[in-house]
Amino acid sequence: MTVRMARTMTSTGQPDDLLAAARGERWWVRGRRVGSVGRAGKFVDDVGFALLFPAAKPIGPSLWEAVAGEDEEPFAGGMNDNEQKVWSWKDELPRRGLAWYGAFLGGRGSFLSPSLLAALYPGEGELDDHQHLELSPAAHELAEALTAEPLSSATLRALLGDKNKYQRAIGELQKNLLVTTAGIEEQSNGWPAALLTLTCEQFDVGGRQDHHEAARHYLDTMLEAAPVDLARAFRWPTPKARALLNDLVDQAQATTDGRRYQPLS
């Protein structure tokens, strides 16, 4: 069914009420709340990509809003039930193979469905995928360490010996979808540490990259977007994002007014 929305924008540049309402339905903000890890997996599978917590600018759905609703502020009252659910599911969803998790959409904590992950994954699904990408020596070192077995974030930080160096290196690996979380490892002191593993060890990826399909899925979830929005979300150059969206128009899968694009079905 064709999604029809007003193209006008408010004076602040935010989507109008009609688009916001349509996104509320598409992003599981309206209706029954997500209350279990299984339903959280179905949510990510449906929307394809989601932030852990919402951003100030709506760059995509968020698991938090699907759990708590659009009017609740995360951590406003501390670590309550909804915060505990969402925080634990960021490790549990990838452990169960229900969703990839890492710093991806706009550099923020994000989930990807297994199918969208496969369309975006840059390698062949082999342990040495990192060797074929331009990464820092520290990122290569972490990826090589993870070829043997999953390791905790604490262990990987100790391997590099510098917290900031570790943060930059793991960010590179997650930006390129090479690493995800795979549960937690209890620590003798403090909070549990995230257990990290190579994406190709946790998910069926490799040799199926399809950026046209990824762009189609993005537009289907966003309901309306400009090329720069797609570029920011998936870390593509804006000309590439525009070309992919124009391809969708040529294939009668999207429509455009010259600036913004909408899915046709």
Side-chain angles (χ1 to χ4, degrees):
M1 181 176 68
T2 300
V3 177
R4 299 187 182 278
M5 296 172 293
R7 297 178 185 274
T8 57
M9 307 292 285
T10 67
S11 59
T12 60
Q14 295 302 310
D16 63 14
D17 290 343
L18 191 55
L19 176 57
R23 283 177 171 171
E25 295 290 338
R26 181 69 184 92
W27 296 359
W28 293 40
V29 176
R30 313 263 161 77
R32 184 162 67 97
R33 302 266 59 82
V34 171
S36 69
V37 67
R39 186 162 165 77
K42 291 179 180 178
F43 160 72
V44 178
D45 189 60
D46 180 48
V47 296
F49 60 94
L51 298 171
L52 179 62
F53 294 108
K57 182 179 180 180
I59 62 174
S62 75
L63 180 58
W64 169 261
E65 288 178 311
V67 170
E70 61 187 325
D71 297 325
E72 294 295 322
E73 184 74 22
F75 301 106
M79 181 67 88
N80 295 318
D81 288 347
N82 286 335
E83 284 83 359
Q84 290 176 14
K85 286 178 185 177
V86 171
W87 195 252
S88 65
W89 292 346
K90 71 180 175 59
D91 301 308
E92 187 64 13
L93 284 167
R95 188 187 74 80
R96 297 190 186 193
L98 297 175
W100 181 93
Y101 179 77
F104 183 68
L105 297 167
R108 300 171 66 92
S110 314
F111 299 98
L112 296 177
S113 69
S115 60
L116 182 57
L117 172 66
L120 289 169
Y121 188 78
E124 295 299 318
E126 303 294 338
L127 298 179
D128 65 351
D129 281 344
H130 69 97
Q131 295 179 9
H132 306 289
L133 298 175
E134 293 185 6
L135 304 171
S136 68
H140 283 298
E141 185 176 355
L142 292 186
E144 194 63 37
L146 289 169
T147 61
E149 61 180 338
L151 296 170
S152 71
S153 55
T155 299
L156 293 172
R157 278 196 302 272
L159 177 66
L160 294 184
D162 182 278
K163 181 179 179 181
N164 291 331
K165 189 177 182 181
Y166 164 78
Q167 293 289 359
R168 290 192 297 270
I170 204 67
E172 281 184 74
L173 293 173
Q174 292 179 338
K175 172 184 176 180
N176 287 281
L177 302 175
L178 294 174
V179 167
T180 187
T181 54
I184 59 173
E185 182 176 271
E186 296 293 338
Q187 303 293 296
S188 57
N189 295 307
W191 290 88
L195 196 63
L196 297 165
T197 191
L198 294 177
T199 296
C200 64
E201 290 279 77
Q202 197 71 9
F203 294 94
D204 179 15
V205 293
R208 290 184 287 141
Q209 189 179 76
D210 186 345
H211 285 175
H212 282 90
E213 174 60 18
R216 185 203 63 76
H217 203 139
Y218 174 83
L219 196 58
D220 176 71
T221 296
M222 293 302 292
L223 301 180
E224 181 174 297
V228 68
D229 300 324
L230 173 58
R232 286 172 182 157
F234 291 167
R235 300 168 179 269
W236 293 337
T238 300
K240 174 179 178 174
R242 179 176 289 105
L244 288 167
L245 290 171
N246 283 333
D247 285 346
L248 294 179
V249 174
D250 292 341
Q251 296 161 11
Q253 294 182 306
T255 184
T256 182
D257 63 1
R259 295 186 308 108
R260 303 186 68 79
Y261 295 74
Q262 297 175 337
L264 273 176
S265 61

